[in-house]
Amino acid sequence: MIGERQETGSGVFEVTPGMRRLCASVLGMEAIVIGLTTPVAIAINHVRPALAVTVGIGLAVLCVIVVGLLKRPAAYIAGSVIQVLAIATGFLVPAMFFLGVIFAALWITAIFVARRVEGTTKR
């Protein structure tokens, strides 16, 4: 299996079209959910608006930027960092602890499922 990847010359982490699609879907939905934490943080949890907008909208924009970079392997590292940051937004909106873990699980699943499915279809 590792020998097959090295033969293609793409290194250890090969980005496949299916992986890009699945991960883009996860990050796209995550951007919406994280963006919607901004008004919740302000109205319900009484977080300062400047902090809530910086964290909520900033992280949502970061998700969209990473979606555009998913052709590069480094974007998957950035996406993994976003998952950690999404869980950390639970300090502003406690429900995000749960939702962040769900999105992190979806992110990991998207990567592994796409690699497994596309790996079996290459044979």
Side-chain angles (χ1 to χ4, degrees):
M1 190 175 215
I2 292 174
E4 290 175 14
R5 285 190 215 128
Q6 290 176 348
E7 289 176 8
T8 62
S10 61
V12 177
F13 189 81
E14 182 180 349
V15 177
T16 62
M19 186 187 311
R20 280 197 323 259
R21 282 191 295 269
L22 284 174
C23 289
S25 298
V26 171
L27 285 176
M29 293 305 296
E30 191 169 13
I32 293 168
V33 170
I34 291 173
L36 290 173
T37 62
T38 302
V40 172
I42 294 169
I44 296 175
N45 296 337
H46 307 293
V47 175
R48 289 178 300 143
L51 177 62
V53 169
T54 302
V55 171
I57 302 302
L59 197 52
V61 168
L62 187 60
C63 285
V64 173
I65 291 170
V66 171
V67 166
L69 299 173
L70 284 175
K71 288 185 179 182
R72 300 182 176 128
Y76 294 87
I77 295 169
S80 299
V81 170
I82 288 173
Q83 303 314 311
V84 173
L85 294 174
I87 294 169
T89 59
F91 291 109
L92 299 178
V93 178
M96 282 304 294
F97 284 124
F98 174 72
L99 292 173
V101 169
I102 295 295
F103 276 113
L106 289 171
W107 176 256
I108 292 167
T109 302
I111 292 172
F112 286 110
V113 166
R115 290 177 68 88
R116 177 166 290 182
V117 167
E118 291 182 344
T120 58
T121 58
K122 285 183 181 180
R123 293 181 189 151

